[in-house]
Amino acid sequence: MRQSTHGLRQLGGKRMNNWSRVTQANQQEIDPLLLWPALGLLFFGLVMVYSSSIAMAEGSRFTGYQSTYFLFRHGIYVALGLAGALLAFQVPLRLWQQVSMALFVVGFVLLIIVLIPHLGRSVNGAQRWIGFGPVNLQPSEFMKLFAVLYAADYTTRKLGDMASFRRGFVPMAGVMVLVGALLLREPDFGAFVVIVSIAIGILFLGGINARLFSVLLLVMAVAFVILIWSSPYRRERIFGFMDPWQDAYGKGYQLSHALIAFGRGEWFGVGLGASVEKLFYLPEAHTDFLLAVIAEELGFFGVLAVVGMFALLVERAFAVGRQAIVLDRVYCGLVAQGIGIWLGVQSFINIGVNVGLLPTKGLTLPLMSFGGSGIIANCITLAILFRIDWENRQLMKGQSV
């Protein structure tokens, strides 16, 4: 156990005297390099959701032909997310650790409920939502957070067993198989990839055997190919992704129009609100393909700003995690780095889909795309990250948390 903890400290790469210099240079309660990218992505997303959804809102009977329909709803979700974040920030990390197992079980039960006929709601062939009147809850979004909390708690408890296949890896693998089976039944392959990445990433950071980890990556690659090949729907997406122009009005429709949006934007874009692709050409312009609208309206530099803010946010999450590990707060460090893995993997997949590097997935851009459950879960998650950073700072000042 002591050797594993020492190894985690080495992963942090810093000693306490290194962090003392950081404390002397920066006495803020919250890291501004963490705060401003988060707020920038959240409110920039609010602007771009409005811009990308005006035409759809004005042209749909479902929205009452109101141009501000999606803006109003997204604004409510952002407000609820910020309120939830303020509450979550008040909760010490030791309490999050105590309830991590219970939260994971709640998330697992919700994933079962969403598959029950008449309880789960189906949209575009995917049954991912539980309806509460006009509000839809998407359990997989909250399951990502619960997976971070549970995987960090599991790894912290099993630090001494990380080199053991049977005691360290098998229990977590069994749990992830059960969760993955439910997600693939919805189907929500994108959430499955993100949650598995979170679990495997935290196990790796916790010191899982390197040879075992290599074998695991190989097995995951084979399983990924089998999952793709065994599903005609996923096979079609792969073929459409490889050459979208071969069937630009069928399998390659979304990607071809996303690429057209990127091409029209060039360096500086056609101007905010001036996108043509959002005028009923590009499906899901305010959700999965929000970045394509950003590219068309604000150009390469608009996309670069978004990528830069995500990169800074992920880097700070890992820095906060390293700092917590140096302070002997292993659970907090793994939670922070798990959040970094989540944001990094999901944003990478969404950006990759938009630019044609990856096949189309049903994953939104964190903190930016329209979607109530995703925005609220993202805000609460970042509040936990801010809490870890705040507790680190209090400890370095010699105060209790």
Side-chain angles (χ1 to χ4, degrees):
M1 180 74 175
R2 300 180 96 180
Q3 289 179 347
S4 298
T5 306
H6 177 69
L8 282 170
R9 278 204 200 96
Q10 288 181 329
L11 284 174
K14 307 271 185 206
R15 294 287 183 183
M16 277 299 297
N17 59 353
N18 293 338
W19 287 111
S20 66
R21 292 196 293 269
V22 177
T23 307
Q24 294 170 2
N26 186 1
Q27 295 293 332
Q28 293 100 326
E29 291 294 310
I30 294 178
D31 184 357
L33 293 178
L34 190 60
L35 177 65
W36 293 118
L39 291 178
L41 289 168
L42 193 63
F43 289 105
F44 184 36
L46 187 65
V47 172
M48 294 311 302
V49 163
Y50 179 47
S51 177
S52 61
S53 65
I54 292 175
M56 181 186 296
E58 288 182 340
S60 173
R61 183 183 302 173
F62 172 76
T63 63
Y65 307 106
Q66 298 176 358
S67 62
T68 58
Y69 176 83
F70 291 103
L71 171 66
F72 179 72
R73 289 175 67 87
H74 192 67
I76 291 176
Y77 295 143
V78 169
L80 290 174
L82 291 174
L86 289 174
L87 292 175
F89 183 79
Q90 308 304 316
V91 181
L93 262 294
R94 65 179 183 276
L95 294 182
W96 284 113
Q97 184 174 10
Q98 291 170 9
V99 300
S100 60
M101 174 72 79
L103 290 174
F104 190 81
V105 171
V106 169
F108 188 81
V109 171
L110 289 175
L111 289 179
I112 295 174
I113 292 175
V114 80
L115 295 173
I116 298 175
H118 309 298
L119 291 180
R121 285 186 177 176
S122 179
V123 178
N124 295 330
Q127 192 162 330
R128 303 175 184 172
W129 296 268
I130 300 174
F132 296 94
V135 178
N136 288 330
L137 172 70
Q138 188 173 357
S140 61
E141 291 293 340
F142 292 96
M143 195 61 179
K144 296 169 188 174
L145 170 58
F146 300 159
V148 170
L149 298 174
Y150 172 73
D153 177 57
Y154 173 87
T155 304
T156 302
R157 288 186 284 107
K158 297 278 190 175
L159 281 176
D161 296 322
M162 281 293 103
S164 170
F165 175 78
R166 182 175 61 85
R167 295 190 302 274
F169 171 71
V170 170
M172 176 62 77
V175 169
M176 287 300 112
V177 166
L178 292 175
V179 171
L182 293 175
L183 289 170
L184 292 176
R185 285 282 296 169
E186 294 184 7
D188 195 346
F189 190 70
F192 168 72
V193 171
V194 172
I195 290 174
V196 169
S197 298
I198 290 169
I200 298 304
I202 290 178
L203 285 176
F204 174 74
L205 293 169
I208 193 171
N209 182 277
R211 183 180 301 174
L212 175 60
F213 185 74
S214 301
V215 173
L216 176 62
L217 291 180
L218 179 61
V219 171
M220 287 178 59
V222 173
F224 178 79
V225 172
I226 292 173
L227 284 171
I228 295 294
W229 198 256
S230 63
S231 170
Y233 170 71
R234 296 191 188 104
R235 268 205 318 271
E236 287 182 6
R237 282 197 165 188
I238 289 291
F239 293 144
F241 148 74
M242 293 172 67
D243 186 5
W245 308 108
Q246 186 178 17
D247 188 9
Y249 293 98
K251 296 188 293 288
Y253 185 81
Q254 280 183 306
L255 179 54
S256 61
H257 280 280
L259 295 176
I260 290 171
F262 273 87
R264 292 193 75 246
E266 297 184 351
W267 290 100
F268 298 102
V270 297
L272 184 64
S275 166
V276 171
E277 286 300 316
K278 70 184 181 185
L279 304 178
F280 300 100
Y281 293 105
L282 179 62
E284 310 297 339
H286 61 306
T287 55
D288 299 356
F289 284 88
L290 184 68
L291 189 72
V293 178
I294 295 174
E296 186 178 3
E297 295 189 347
L298 302 177
F300 170 79
F301 288 104
V303 174
L304 187 63
V306 172
V307 173
M309 284 189 283
F310 273 115
L312 181 57
L313 198 58
V314 171
E315 187 277 330
R316 295 313 303 160
F318 275 87
V320 169
R322 290 194 301 270
Q323 185 178 17
I325 290 170
V326 169
L327 293 168
D328 281 329
R329 306 176 71 228
V330 176
Y331 174 75
C332 298
L334 292 176
V335 169
Q337 293 179 339
I339 292 171
I341 293 170
W342 170 9
L343 295 176
V345 169
Q346 184 162 335
S347 59
F348 175 80
I349 291 175
N350 181 274
I351 293 169
V353 166
N354 274 257
V355 301
L357 284 175
L358 297 171
T360 305
K361 296 253 89 47
L363 274 179
T364 56
L365 194 59
L367 293 168
M368 298 190 72
S369 295
F370 178 81
S373 298
I375 288 294
I376 294 172
N378 292 160
C379 289
I380 292 173
T381 299
L382 284 179
I384 294 173
L385 180 60
F386 284 122
R387 176 74 192 196
I388 296 171
D389 180 54
W390 182 82
E391 289 184 1
N392 287 347
R393 290 165 187 266
Q394 300 309 303
L395 286 174
M396 288 190 292
K397 292 177 183 177
Q399 301 175 10
S400 59
V401 294

